[in-house]
Amino acid sequence: TVLERRLGSGSAGTAYTCTLDGRGVVLKVANDASCDKLIDDEADALQRLDSPRIVSLHRHGSFQGRRAIAVDSAGHLTLGEMLRQALPLSASERTAIADQLLQLGVDLEAADIVHGDLHPDHIGVAAPPGDLAIQAFDFSLRPSGSAVPGSLKYADPFFETRDVLDAAADRYSIAAMIHAVLTGVPPGWGNGHSDPTLNQSITLKVEDSLSDPIAEFLSTSLARNVADRPGSAEHLLLAWKKCLQKHKSILKAPPATTTSPDQSSSASEG
């Protein structure tokens, strides 16, 4: 196997493009022996998952003495790159990405898998004929006790109070990504740099540009207390669908009409 291009490196492994069995794949190689188990655990997770929103495992074994996995490419761009480049997306494309992120959550919970580090740079975006399609990758941080997510902007800041990266943390990250897809920026707490775990008075800030139904959906999905959020990925998806119905109703509502004092006087005189 000949490595073609280095894609990037994380805490567990380094990813390269290569050709394997006549097809282009991404090869992720453990950074060192201490990361071998993380790579093996990632392979185990991918073997248990069967979702169009998650990369498929092509092969699992060793490469040059280190554990490695070969997976299908998740796309030419990551969602993070799209957000940083402010690539133009229509309202329907933004909604479609949000739909797929929520379905990703459903698929993960159906397989009883926690990703643990969901953020835009771990979401690939492909543009096949037709609609944009997302795929999640990099499962090497999936629940290992008190592992710290790599991207704190999208991580549930309250996961440490539960002592584990859990499905609720994944759902928080999905809601945070939806905020970014709709507004271009992740949600923030307080002044945007505050740590909400230090003070109960620090509140969540969602963008003012969002409609009331979408702002309410995000505020609930990102709530400080897990008990105040939708209790499962299915419930989160259902809440999103209800939110969109309310949002569309607002868009379709006729503009309010006002009657000037002169018009009112003329009508009463007639």
Side-chain angles (χ1 to χ4, degrees):
T1 301
V2 178
L3 303 182
E4 298 165 357
R5 182 166 64 93
R6 184 180 183 276
L7 296 175
S9 183
S11 58
T14 302
Y16 307 86
T17 60
C18 69
T19 301
L20 192 62
D21 300 332
R23 63 193 289 184
V25 298
V26 173
L27 184 70
K28 182 176 179 179
V29 184
N31 288 330
D32 53 46
S34 68
C35 297
D36 281 347
K37 186 178 186 307
L38 292 174
I39 298 299
D40 289 341
D41 287 348
E42 182 169 5
D44 175 67
L46 292 174
Q47 285 174 337
R48 292 163 54 191
L49 288 160
D50 182 16
S51 165
R53 286 156 288 274
I54 297 166
V55 293
S56 297
L57 179 67
H58 183 58
R59 190 183 293 183
H60 172 218
S62 296
F63 179 79
Q64 295 182 354
R66 285 180 257 167
R67 300 302 285 166
I69 56 172
V71 299
D72 291 335
S73 171
H76 297 296
L77 283 174
T78 65
L79 183 57
E81 289 169 330
M82 292 182 70
L83 293 171
R84 286 190 291 274
Q85 296 172 26
L87 297 181
L89 291 171
S90 67
S92 62
E93 287 174 326
R94 293 177 192 275
T95 301
I97 291 174
D99 290 343
Q100 292 180 64
L101 287 170
L102 290 160
Q103 189 59 54
L104 164 64
V106 172
D107 296 344
L108 287 170
E109 290 189 15
D112 196 24
I113 293 287
V114 173
H115 185 286
D117 195 22
L118 285 173
H119 59 79
D121 285 311
H122 285 168
I123 303 290
V125 182
D131 298 329
L132 297 174
I134 70 156
Q135 283 196 318
F137 58 93
D138 198 343
F139 284 70
S140 57
L141 277 184
R142 73 183 192 87
S144 52
S146 57
V148 177
S151 178
L152 297 180
K153 289 182 180 179
Y154 295 91
D156 182 352
F158 310 105
F159 85 91
E160 289 185 343
T161 64
R162 306 189 299 276
D163 297 323
V164 68
L165 287 168
D166 54 11
D170 274 357
R171 294 194 295 272
Y172 182 101
S173 297
I174 287 170
M177 285 192 285
I178 290 174
H179 184 287
V181 168
L182 297 179
T183 67
V185 294
W189 288 84
N191 63 8
H193 304 286
S194 306
D195 181 351
T197 65
L198 299 179
N199 193 325
Q200 289 281 333
S201 67
I202 297 175
T203 57
L204 177 71
K205 293 183 67 176
V206 296
E207 287 295 297
D208 294 336
S209 60
L210 295 168
S211 70
D212 287 346
I214 292 179
E216 180 182 357
F217 165 79
L218 289 169
S219 296
T220 302
S221 303
L222 300 167
R224 176 183 290 272
N225 296 317
V226 171
D228 295 330
R229 306 176 194 170
S232 69
E234 288 279 6
H235 289 154
L236 189 64
L237 178 58
L238 180 60
W240 170 248
K241 290 179 178 178
K242 290 181 177 178
C243 151
L244 285 186
Q245 289 173 351
K246 293 178 183 177
H247 176 71
K248 290 175 182 177
S249 295
I250 291 174
L251 295 180
K252 291 178 181 178
T257 57
T258 57
T259 304
S260 68
D262 290 343
Q263 289 174 318
S264 177
S265 175
S266 299
S268 60
E269 290 171 2

